[in-house]
Amino acid sequence: MQTVFSTVLPDVPQAAGIWLALLAVAAIVVAALIVRPDRFRSVVGDRISEAAMPSSLELAEEARERARYAQEIGVAASRATATAERRRAEWLAAQEEVEEAWQAYEAAEEHVRRLAAAAALPLPRTARTPAEYADRERWLHRAALDTQRRNEITARQLDDILAHRGWDPRRHPVEQELLLRRLVRDNLRARYQAAREREQAAWQAAELAATAARSLRDEAYAATCPAPEPQSPLSIVDFTAAEATRELPPAGRPADITREIAPMARGRAPVQAY
């Protein structure tokens, strides 16, 4: 035991000095944290931020990639805008076609009403001779040919009239004209329905093209004007502490907040022009 104590006791003062030195350093660090916490936090945050920041080569490569992507999306947006303009022009042309078809149909319907009123009157009596029937047949053929030249009946319908398929050439010319005008009216009504369907399809295509163009333009703008970089966690903590210490408005007086409300569009809006 004397040998052990003689070996250990000389080192006790040295160990105690080391522990006291460590405790003093720890106390100094704790005191510094208590007295100047912002400085310590800023130093640590700067070092962490510097370690997390990319290098200059990485930043240059990222800038090149961003510029290339912005150029590509800009070209795509220009092409989409041109397509939207072309689709809108096609839709406007389809609208004009529908309007013309409707006016032609209305004129044909009015003509049929006048002829129907005239046919309701007693027809003039004529001699039923072969010459009279031949004149009626020639009149029907001539009227059918004139109608086909005006593109009011189809070639197949003209063949049916000339071949007397469903047509009696012995009828009075007033009756023949009424039947012929009704055939023209039905054809114009079918053309109006077809033009209306084409106009609806053109409108849908123009809407889709306009939506695609707007989306690509927004993406191109986002590519040329990137969003601001996110803040570091330590900066967010500092900002939160500053907000917590900021003086709040007194009770009963709400903070002055100005908010703009975008107007809402109502109804079916036409396709936008570019």
Side-chain angles (χ1 to χ4, degrees):
M1 291 296 292
Q2 293 179 356
T3 305
V4 172
F5 284 126
S6 62
T7 305
V8 173
L9 288 176
D11 296 333
V12 170
Q14 185 178 1
I18 294 174
W19 279 106
L20 289 175
L22 292 176
L23 290 175
V25 172
I28 293 172
V29 172
V30 171
L33 289 176
I34 294 174
V35 176
R36 300 292 298 276
D38 297 336
R39 183 176 181 181
F40 180 77
R41 187 184 297 117
S42 62
V43 172
V44 175
D46 293 341
R47 292 181 179 178
I48 294 176
S49 299
E50 290 176 359
M53 288 292 291
S55 63
S56 59
L57 295 178
E58 293 177 349
L59 290 176
E61 182 64 24
E62 183 180 356
R64 285 194 297 269
E65 289 294 328
R66 190 184 301 113
R68 182 183 60 81
Y69 175 74
Q71 184 179 4
E72 292 178 356
I73 201 67
V75 173
S78 300
R79 294 177 179 176
T81 302
T83 302
E85 292 177 353
R86 185 171 62 253
R87 292 286 185 267
R88 186 174 186 274
E90 294 174 356
W91 172 59
L92 294 176
Q95 273 190 328
E96 294 179 358
E97 183 181 356
V98 169
E99 184 65 23
E100 293 176 358
W102 174 253
Q103 292 178 359
Y105 168 70
E106 282 190 331
E109 180 67 23
E110 181 65 23
H111 196 180
V112 168
R113 283 196 294 267
R114 288 198 304 269
L115 288 177
L121 300 175
L123 298 177
R125 294 181 178 273
T126 58
R128 298 184 178 229
T129 61
E132 176 66 19
Y133 289 148
D135 289 341
R136 293 182 179 184
E137 183 178 0
R138 283 194 298 270
W139 184 93
L140 175 61
H141 292 176
R142 185 171 59 256
L145 289 173
D146 293 340
T147 305
Q148 203 278 333
R149 290 192 190 97
R150 293 192 297 269
N151 199 23
E152 294 178 346
I153 61 175
T154 63
R156 182 181 295 275
Q157 291 172 343
L158 177 62
D159 293 340
D160 293 339
I161 295 174
L162 297 180
H164 304 161
R165 288 191 294 267
W167 292 80
D168 187 3
R170 295 173 299 178
R171 285 177 173 270
H172 195 275
V174 174
E175 297 176 347
Q176 298 286 9
E177 187 177 4
L178 177 59
L179 294 175
L180 190 60
R181 287 294 100 192
R182 286 175 176 172
L183 178 62
V184 171
R185 179 200 59 187
D186 295 341
N187 290 341
L188 293 177
R189 181 171 54 189
R191 292 179 186 178
Y192 165 72
Q193 293 293 340
R196 186 178 178 183
E197 293 177 359
R198 288 193 298 270
E199 186 270 339
Q200 291 178 355
W203 180 80
Q204 293 177 358
E207 278 288 316
L208 292 176
T211 302
R214 284 194 300 268
S215 177
L216 286 174
R217 283 201 308 272
D218 294 342
E219 190 173 355
Y221 177 79
T224 54
C225 301
E229 298 180 356
Q231 298 179 353
S232 62
L234 293 178
S235 300
I236 296 175
V237 171
D238 295 341
F239 177 76
T240 305
E243 287 291 328
T245 58
R246 189 175 61 182
E247 183 180 359
L248 296 176
R253 288 181 55 192
D256 295 336
I257 301 176
T258 303
R259 179 177 301 174
E260 295 182 358
I261 302 177
M264 297 179 62
R266 298 181 179 179
R268 173 177 170 180
V271 181
Q272 297 182 0
Y274 296 94

